[in-house]
């Protein structure tokens, strides 16, 4: 019975929720609506006066915010009727209305809506009266507005209307708040007057305020001495300001002493060498020593200002004084740390009082000292870093407090730049920061990781070999970096990435993956391929955060761009296609389109057309509408890659794909997107392959540069392979091989004759394709789901069916620039090709791929280049597809 009653009540509750009810909560009553209603026949001025008199607070704020526009449109009427009403309202207005008025007054003066004289007569007096408001928030807002107005008014008005009021407010009989306001006004006014005027009108009051009975007034006036001194000049500063500054630095209140320290540091650029040596250096030495001995509240500020102080006095210090300042800095960096305390002991849970005690005093001091570490390295000199500051730097990197380590990590790259070739001594500290288990520390070191790693690569003693290739780009010079000194950093980099992936801070993780794009400049291709590429593909296909996946995709493309091994480049391209384009999830296929856009930016047009063009077109028939919708946005970019007459087949495929989508598409959004894309396609003019090559666009020149760089990578790899083969085979073995080959040639003379003819034909074919063969063909195990193959090949030749030959692909990796080597005959090259095919099929059978026959299709390529490298047995071309 209880269950049935509960079910009945639940049913009634759901029935009540389903009923449509009129929501009356939050609606205005008729009386409130009448009060908020304004007659539409009123003019702007009449409406403003009416709302200021009897309107609600929100309406008054609206009128005050519109005051500059009213003055601009109706100057006379607004000054006569609206402005007096605004002044009347401000006497009893709330905080929001007062703040709106300060913003409106500043806006009027900044835009010069009225003259300076009229502003002083109308608004300046009201501002001076408002700074004495009882509400501290309102008084502070009007004082800040007044200080901003001082910088905009001419000195004549300031002398006439403001200076006398500031002087009267600074008298001892006034309240503390008035004297504080007078100090700030005098500091601003001093920048507008000349030295004579300051001495006569301002300096006596400044001296009086520096000796005020209230410590807040003394500290406030002390912070304004910098502006007063710059207005007075050097000589008057030495006679009038410095004595007051020395007295304030010895004040009994720490608030005043801190103000004196900040003023001295800011005045260093004004003082001469004699004053610094005789007055400032002894004063600061005594000040810092007392702060360290007493360990009072001024110590964190001393540590914060210590870098500026040492940098400003560096030209006036002797060697003993420099060593004293460095010794003091080292003491501040380890303040509060004893021998038994370390990061391991900090991992245990300390008591709550110890946490707050360290956070409030010693840890703050060490953090401020760590902030000044780059400046202190510059002060000591890079040559003296190892003896003077290395131990301190290592201690800060291993500090038990995470904020100290974070501060060091933020300035690590600056220290690395200053050390230059000696940066290798910081490698262990960089590893320590990268392996830190606190994400905040990684947030400091990761944004500057490329600069840091490049400094280690330049100054870490890595072996750099130069090999010249005449007639090519890169300024005819390729720097082949075999970087092995940074291999110790690989585990630390992977540990940093692993920590970021385990946290919920996806922005940090995305930043790390993005910064990993600098690794090709610092590590070898094998290190990147075997250590970092698996991590990138893991996040590319398994991470849920889209920015992380995009960062991984872009970094993978950069790895492919700078990888110096053909097999690895082909494998990475194949894996991108298999994991993304042929992925079982729609978001993977959408991500493949983003990958293609990145490849278009990084690689040449020929590379994209060779490896990815036809696979992108497959996405037009994707069963998911969002994938097709994303594909439509890429159509204009695909057409811009085409150049006739060489890409006529790709153009036909693109046009056929667009027609199919327009004819069979049923989704409304995709249909609209394809129509928009067609309009964009009509505006794009297809480029032509010119014979003279005299007229190039900027994009064409950039694309040619990318093609040359890609070709140079291939030829550099070929050259390294040849050098490796020569090093393996000694000269004696080569001679024996040549004798044996000569004996074989005598036995088979007929074969040599026929081989000569084939060699001639091979040379002609290579000459016909030398201009377009800038890249090797695609990896043979790439196959599309639709059975389509890449239509154009940049390898040594093309078959009658228009598909790249495995012989041409693998012979391109063993021959220089896809041309037959000198001294080789046709039979040798044919035998080599046959061996390659056999090896290819054997490897494919063991790796899970099966051989299938493909239907022959004609290509628009020249028949001479295809017949020279295609199979001579007349059989249809066979391809390798995934079983």
């Amino acid at each position: 019975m209880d269950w049935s009653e509960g079910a009945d009540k639940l049913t009634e509750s759901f029935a009540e929720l389903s009923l449509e009810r009129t929501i009356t909560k939050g609606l205005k009553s008729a009386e409130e609506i009448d009060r908020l209603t304004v007659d539409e026949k009123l003019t702007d001025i009449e409406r403003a006066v009416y709302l200021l008199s009897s309107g609600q607070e929100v309406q008054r704020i609206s009128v005050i915010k519109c005051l500059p526009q009213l003055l601009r449109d109706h100057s006379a009427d607004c000054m006569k009727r609206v402005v007096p009403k605004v002044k009347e309202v401000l006497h009893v207005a709330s905080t929001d209305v007062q703040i709106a008025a300060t913003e409106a007054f500043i806006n009027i003066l900044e835009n010069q809506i009225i003259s300076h004289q009229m502003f002083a007569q109308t608004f300046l007096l009201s501002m001076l009266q408002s700074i004495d408001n009882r509400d501290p928030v309102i008084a502070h807002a009007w004082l800040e507005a007044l200080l901003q107005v001082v910088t905009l008014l001419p000195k004549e008005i300031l002398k006439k209307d403001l200076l006398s009021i500031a002087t009267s407010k600074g008298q001892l009989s006034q309240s503390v708040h008035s004297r504080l306001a007078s100090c700030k006004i005098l500091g601003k006014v001093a920048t507008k007057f000349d030295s004579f005027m300051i001495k006569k009108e301002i300096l006596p009051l400044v001296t009086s305020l520096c000796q005020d009975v209230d410590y807040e007034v003394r500290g406030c006036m002390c912070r304004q001495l910098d502006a007063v001194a710059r207005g007075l000049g050097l000589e008057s500063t030495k006679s009038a300001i410095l004595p007051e500054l020395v007295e304030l630095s010895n004040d009994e209140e720490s608030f005043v002493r801190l103000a004196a320290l900040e003023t001295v540091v800011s005045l260093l650029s004004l003082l001469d060498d004699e004053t610094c040596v005789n007055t400032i250096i002894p004063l600061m030495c005594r000040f810092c020593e007392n702060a360290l001995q007493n360990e009072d509240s001024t110590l964190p500020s001393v540590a914060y200002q210590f870098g500026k102080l040492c940098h400003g006095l560096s030209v006036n210090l002797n060697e003993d004084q420099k060593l004293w300042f460095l010794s003091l800095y080292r003491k501040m960096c380890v303040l509060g740390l004893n021998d038994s305390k370390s990061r391991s002991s900090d991992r245990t849970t300390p008591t709550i009082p110890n946490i707050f005690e360290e956070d409030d005093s010693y840890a703050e001091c060490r953090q401020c000292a760590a902030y000044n570490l780059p400046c202190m390295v510059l002060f000591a000199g890079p040559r003296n870093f190892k003896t003077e500051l290395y131990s301190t730097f290592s201690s800060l990197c291993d500090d038990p407090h995470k904020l100290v380590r974070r501060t060091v990590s933020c300035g690590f790259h600056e220290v690395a730049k200053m050390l230059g070739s000696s940066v290798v001594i910081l490698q262990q500290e960089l590893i320590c920061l990268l392996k830190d288990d606190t994400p905040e520390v990684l947030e400091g070191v990761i944004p500057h990781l490329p600069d840091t790693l490049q400094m280690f690569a330049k100054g870490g003693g890595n072996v750099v070999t130069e090999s010249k290739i005449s007639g090519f780009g890169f300024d005819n010079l390729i720097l082949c970096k075999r970087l092995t000194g940074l291999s110790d950093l690989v585990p630390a980099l992977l540990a940093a990435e692993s920590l970021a992936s385990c946290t919920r801070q996806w922005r940090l993780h995305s930043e790390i993956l993005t910064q990993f794009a600098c690794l090709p400049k610092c590590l070898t291709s094998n290190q990147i391929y075997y250590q970092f590429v698996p991590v990138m593909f893991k996040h590319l296909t398994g991470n849920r955060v889209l920015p992380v996946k995009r960062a991984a995709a872009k970094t993978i493309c950069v790895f492919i761009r700078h990888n110096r091994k053909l097999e690895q480049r082909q494998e990475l391209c194949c894996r991108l296609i298999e994991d993304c384009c042929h992925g079982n999830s729609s978001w993977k296929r959408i991500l493949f389109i983003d990958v293609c856009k990145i490849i278009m930016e990084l690689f040449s047009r020929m590379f994209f057309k060779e490896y990815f063009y036809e696979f992108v077109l497959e996405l037009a028939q994707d069963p998911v509408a969002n994938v097709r919708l994303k594909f439509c946005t890429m159509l204009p970019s695909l057409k811009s890659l085409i150049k006739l007459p060489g890409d006529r087949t790709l153009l036909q495929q693109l046009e056929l794909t667009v027609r199919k989508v327009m004819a069979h598409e049923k989704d409304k959004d995709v249909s609209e997107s394809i129509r928009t894309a067609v309009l964009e396609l009509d505006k794009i003019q297809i480029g032509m392959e010119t014979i003279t090559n005299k007229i190039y666009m900027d994009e064409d020149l950039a694309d040619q540069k990318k093609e040359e760089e890609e070709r140079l990578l291939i030829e550099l790899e070929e050259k390294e392979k040849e050098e490796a083969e020569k090093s393996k085979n000694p000269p004696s073995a080569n001679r024996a091989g040549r004798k044996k080959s000569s004996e074989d040639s005598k036995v088979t003379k007929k074969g040599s004759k026929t081989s000569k003819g084939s060699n001639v034909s091979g040379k002609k074919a290579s000459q016909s394709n030398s201009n377009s063969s800038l890249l090797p063909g695609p990896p043979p195990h790439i196959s599309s789901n639709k059975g389509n193959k890449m239509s154009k090949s940049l390898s040594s030749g093309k078959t009658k069916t228009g598909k790249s030959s495995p012989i041409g692909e693998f012979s391109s990796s063993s021959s220089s620039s896809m041309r037959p080597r000198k001294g080789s005959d046709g039979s040798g090259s044919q035998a080599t090709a046959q061996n390659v095919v056999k090896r290819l099929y054997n490897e494919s059978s063991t790796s899970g791929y099966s051989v299938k026959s493909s239907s022959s299709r004609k290509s628009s390529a020249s028949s001479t280049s295809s017949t020279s490298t295609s199979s001579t047995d007349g059989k249809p071309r066979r391809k390798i597809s995934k079983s």
Side-chain angles (χ1 to χ4, degrees):
M1 297 297 294
D2 296 337
W3 286 101
S4 60
E5 292 178 0
D8 295 339
K9 292 181 179 180
L10 186 62
T11 304
E12 293 177 0
S13 300
F14 278 114
E16 291 178 358
L17 289 175
S18 63
L19 296 176
E20 294 184 0
R21 296 182 178 182
T22 303
I23 300 175
T24 58
K25 185 178 180 180
L27 297 180
K28 300 294 182 182
S29 62
E31 182 180 357
E32 291 175 334
I33 293 175
D34 292 338
R35 280 186 296 178
L36 295 173
T37 303
V38 181
D39 189 2
E40 297 181 357
K41 297 181 181 180
L42 297 177
T43 62
D44 293 340
I45 299 298
E46 292 174 349
R47 185 183 299 109
V49 173
Y50 173 77
L51 293 177
L52 289 173
S53 302
S54 58
Q56 300 293 318
E57 181 178 351
V58 64
Q59 293 174 323
R60 293 179 179 178
I61 293 175
S62 177
V63 172
I64 292 175
K65 288 182 178 180
C66 295
L67 185 60
Q69 186 64 34
L70 291 174
L71 282 173
R72 190 180 288 108
D73 298 338
H74 314 281
S75 178
D77 292 341
C78 184
M79 291 294 295
K80 184 177 179 181
R81 301 179 60 184
V82 179
V83 173
K85 204 68 178 177
V86 171
K87 293 181 180 180
E88 180 181 345
V89 169
L90 289 179
H91 289 293
V92 293
S94 62
T95 304
D96 294 336
V97 178
Q98 300 277 359
I99 294 176
T102 59
E103 296 174 355
F105 288 4
I106 295 173
N107 190 6
I108 292 171
L109 186 58
E110 285 179 344
N111 297 323
Q112 298 181 358
I113 299 176
I114 59 178
S115 62
H116 292 156
Q117 189 68 28
M118 186 176 295
F119 182 88
Q121 295 176 359
T122 308
F123 299 104
L124 186 59
L125 183 59
S126 298
M127 298 178 73
L128 291 172
Q129 293 175 354
S130 299
I131 62 176
D132 294 329
N133 197 292
R134 294 180 179 180
D135 190 343
V137 177
I138 297 175
H140 178 74
W142 280 109
L143 180 59
E144 293 297 325
L146 180 62
L147 296 178
Q148 193 171 349
V149 164
V150 169
T151 60
L152 300 174
L153 292 175
K155 60 181 181 180
E156 292 80 9
I157 295 178
L158 295 177
K159 180 180 179 181
K160 178 182 177 182
D161 299 330
L162 186 61
L163 188 57
S164 58
I165 298 177
T167 304
S168 62
K169 287 181 176 295
Q171 301 301 320
L172 189 59
S173 59
Q174 297 290 328
S175 64
V176 175
H177 176 74
S178 297
R179 299 204 299 273
L180 290 174
S182 176
C183 294
K184 296 180 179 180
I185 295 173
L186 291 177
K188 281 290 183 180
V189 171
T191 59
K192 306 285 288 187
F193 295 144
D194 55 5
S195 177
F196 178 77
M197 184 67 184
I198 294 174
K199 289 180 182 179
K200 181 180 178 182
E201 301 290 341
I202 298 177
L203 189 57
L205 183 59
V206 168
T207 305
S208 174
L209 292 173
C210 286
Q211 300 174 359
D212 197 273
V213 294
D214 190 87
Y215 75 95
E216 291 184 359
V217 178
R218 297 197 304 272
C220 183
M221 192 65 249
C222 183
R223 284 186 167 87
Q224 307 300 324
L225 290 181
D226 180 25
V228 177
R230 295 186 184 280
L232 283 174
L234 177 60
E235 297 299 327
S236 300
T237 298
K238 292 166 62 176
S239 60
I241 301 298
L242 278 183
E244 298 294 335
L245 197 56
V246 172
E247 184 177 355
L248 291 171
S249 64
N250 297 319
D251 197 275
E252 58 184 3
E253 295 290 338
S254 60
F255 178 80
V256 181
R257 296 199 302 272
L258 288 179
L261 175 64
E262 296 174 3
T263 305
V264 169
V265 172
S266 60
L267 278 177
L268 290 178
S269 59
L270 176 66
L271 302 176
D272 56 357
D273 295 339
E274 181 182 359
T275 305
C276 290
V277 172
N278 298 330
T279 305
I280 301 299
I281 293 178
L283 176 65
M284 289 295 100
C285 289
R286 186 170 60 254
F287 188 96
C288 296
E289 188 174 2
N290 292 334
L292 186 63
Q293 290 179 356
N294 299 329
E295 294 185 0
D296 56 6
S297 59
T298 62
L299 191 57
S301 297
V302 170
Y304 184 78
Q305 299 289 339
F306 200 76
K308 296 179 181 179
L309 181 65
C310 293
H311 180 69
L313 296 175
S314 59
V315 295
N316 306 116
L317 295 174
N318 54 36
E319 291 299 325
D320 294 336
Q321 291 172 338
K322 283 186 176 181
L323 293 176
W324 185 88
F325 275 97
L326 288 173
S327 175
L328 181 64
Y329 177 75
R330 289 194 294 268
K331 293 178 182 178
M332 289 190 294
C333 290
V334 296
L335 191 65
L337 299 179
N338 48 34
D339 297 336
S340 60
K341 190 170 184 179
S342 61
R343 285 185 61 187
S344 60
S345 62
D346 184 70
R347 296 291 176 254
T348 60
T349 305
T351 57
I352 294 179
N354 290 337
I355 293 177
F356 286 104
E357 182 181 356
E358 183 181 351
D359 285 345
D360 292 341
S361 56
Y362 298 137
E364 183 182 0
C365 180
R366 297 198 305 272
Q367 182 184 1
C368 294
Y371 170 78
N372 287 295
L373 183 60
C375 187
M376 295 307 298
V377 173
L378 185 63
F379 174 74
R383 295 181 179 180
N384 301 324
F385 174 79
K386 188 173 183 180
T387 58
E388 298 293 341
L389 292 175
Y390 175 70
S391 59
T392 301
F393 183 82
S394 179
S395 174
L396 291 174
C397 291
D398 197 43
D399 194 273
H401 202 282
K402 64 180 181 180
L403 294 181
V404 179
R405 302 196 303 273
R406 172 184 166 82
T407 306
V408 176
S409 65
C410 291
F412 191 95
H413 66 289
E414 298 179 359
V415 177
K417 288 181 180 179
M418 284 185 281
L419 292 182
S421 59
S422 303
V423 71
V424 68
I425 64 176
L426 302 181
Q427 185 167 341
Q428 292 301 322
E429 282 67 33
L430 179 59
I431 293 174
C432 179
L433 294 176
L434 289 174
K435 289 185 176 181
D436 199 289
D437 55 358
T438 307
E440 287 81 359
V441 179
L442 295 181
E443 290 176 355
V445 71
I446 290 300
H448 307 285
L449 185 63
D451 297 335
T452 305
L453 292 182
Q454 289 182 22
M455 292 304 302
F456 275 91
K458 291 179 182 179
N462 298 306
V463 178
V464 180
T465 59
E466 298 179 358
S467 60
K468 291 186 178 181
I469 299 179
S470 59
F472 297 112
F474 291 132
D475 298 329
N476 299 332
L477 187 65
I478 296 181
L479 297 179
C480 309
K481 296 185 177 181
R482 298 187 179 97
L483 302 174
T484 58
L486 297 180
S487 59
D488 295 337
L489 291 174
V490 173
L493 292 171
L494 293 176
E497 188 279 330
S498 177
L499 174 64
S501 63
C502 295
T503 62
R504 295 184 178 181
Q505 300 182 19
W506 61 265
R507 290 181 178 85
L508 175 62
H509 192 197
S510 176
E511 181 73 13
I512 290 178
L513 297 183
T514 302
Q515 299 300 339
F516 277 177
C518 70
L519 294 180
K521 300 179 181 179
C522 309
L523 300 176
T524 61
S525 297
N526 283 335
Q527 288 174 329
I528 294 174
Y529 183 77
Y530 292 108
Q531 298 289 338
F532 293 93
V533 167
V535 177
M536 294 298 164
F537 274 102
K538 172 186 173 182
H539 296 297
L540 178 67
T541 58
N543 202 290
R544 295 183 178 182
V545 183
L546 182 59
V548 174
K549 292 186 290 188
R550 288 178 175 173
K554 187 169 184 179
T555 304
I556 289 173
C557 294
V558 175
F559 288 168
I560 299 174
R561 179 70 177 82
H562 296 282
N563 193 292
R564 295 182 52 221
K565 293 194 175 183
L566 176 62
E567 296 178 359
Q568 294 179 2
R569 291 198 300 271
Q570 291 179 342
E571 181 65 28
L572 292 177
C573 292
C574 175
R575 190 169 177 184
L576 279 176
I577 294 171
E578 292 297 328
D579 291 352
C580 296
C581 182
H582 298 160
N584 55 2
S585 178
S586 61
W587 66 261
K588 292 182 180 179
R589 300 192 291 275
I590 292 175
L591 184 62
F592 180 73
I593 298 177
D594 295 330
V595 171
C596 291
K597 292 180 180 179
I598 297 171
I599 291 175
M600 287 181 182
E601 297 176 359
L602 298 177
F603 294 84
S604 64
R605 300 171 183 172
M606 195 70 70
F607 184 92
F608 181 81
K609 289 184 289 187
E610 179 65 27
Y611 283 87
F612 296 95
Y613 197 95
E614 291 190 358
F615 292 98
V616 178
L617 294 181
E618 292 178 8
L619 299 179
Q621 307 300 326
D622 195 274
V624 180
N626 286 337
V627 180
R628 302 195 302 274
L629 185 65
K630 184 79 172 180
F631 167 77
C632 294
T633 62
M634 199 177 179
L635 288 174
S637 301
L638 293 177
K639 186 176 180 181
S640 63
L641 300 176
I642 294 176
K643 282 202 170 184
L644 297 178
D647 298 332
R648 189 179 302 277
T649 304
L650 295 181
L651 180 60
Q652 293 174 357
Q653 293 179 2
L654 179 63
E655 293 175 349
L656 179 62
T657 302
V658 174
R659 285 196 296 268
K660 286 183 178 179
V661 175
M662 294 187 67
H664 301 94
E665 185 57 52
K666 298 180 180 180
D667 188 85
K668 180 180 178 181
D669 296 331
V670 180
S671 300
E672 181 66 24
S673 180
I674 192 64
R675 286 193 293 267
T676 304
V678 168
L679 296 177
E680 295 293 331
L681 290 174
D682 294 338
K683 299 177 183 179
I684 298 176
Q685 296 182 356
I686 300 178
M688 302 295 294
E689 295 178 354
T690 59
I691 300 177
T692 57
N693 294 332
K694 291 183 178 180
I695 302 175
Y696 290 108
M697 303 295 290
D698 294 339
E699 297 179 357
D700 297 333
L701 295 175
D703 186 69
Q704 283 188 358
K705 184 178 179 181
K706 293 177 183 178
E707 284 186 11
E708 285 204 4
E709 292 174 357
E710 293 164 3
R711 180 173 58 183
L712 284 173
L713 284 176
I714 299 172
E715 296 189 355
L716 181 60
E717 184 180 4
E718 302 293 338
K719 190 173 182 180
E720 289 180 353
K721 288 182 179 179
E722 291 178 0
E723 292 177 355
E725 291 176 0
K726 290 179 181 179
S727 62
K728 290 180 181 179
N729 299 326
S732 60
N734 294 335
R735 292 170 187 167
R738 284 197 296 269
K739 289 181 180 180
K740 187 175 182 180
S741 62
S742 63
E743 292 175 359
D744 294 339
S745 63
K746 291 179 182 179
V747 177
T748 57
K749 286 185 177 180
K750 288 186 178 182
S752 63
K753 290 181 181 180
T754 57
S755 64
K756 289 180 181 178
S758 62
N759 190 17
V760 173
S761 63
K763 289 184 178 179
K764 290 182 179 179
S766 63
Q767 290 175 0
S768 63
N769 292 324
S770 61
N771 294 330
S772 61
S773 299
L774 301 181
L775 289 173
H781 53 283
I782 294 181
S783 61
S784 64
N785 293 336
K786 305 295 183 181
N788 293 331
K789 203 62 169 127
M790 301 178 184
S791 62
K792 292 195 66 181
S793 175
L794 296 178
S795 59
S796 58
K798 300 178 182 179
T799 63
K800 289 184 179 181
T801 59
K803 299 180 181 180
S804 59
S805 172
I807 301 175
E809 293 165 2
F810 283 85
S811 62
S812 64
S813 64
S814 60
S815 62
S816 177
S817 187
M818 284 65 74
R819 286 193 288 269
R821 298 182 184 177
K822 294 182 180 180
S824 63
D825 53 2
S827 61
S829 61
Q830 186 174 3
T832 304
Q834 292 176 356
N835 293 332
V836 170
V837 173
K838 291 179 181 179
R839 185 173 69 252
L840 171 64
Y841 286 170
N842 292 332
E843 292 175 355
S844 63
S845 62
T846 58
S847 60
Y849 291 86
S850 60
V851 182
K852 296 182 180 180
S853 61
S854 62
S855 59
S856 60
R857 55 174 181 154
K858 295 184 179 181
S859 174
S860 61
S862 60
S863 60
T864 57
S865 61
S866 61
T867 56
S868 61
T869 57
S870 61
S871 60
T872 58
D873 55 359
K875 295 181 181 180
R877 176 64 55 196
R878 297 192 295 174
K879 71 174 182 178
I880 299 175
S881 61
K882 194 169 184 180
S883 59

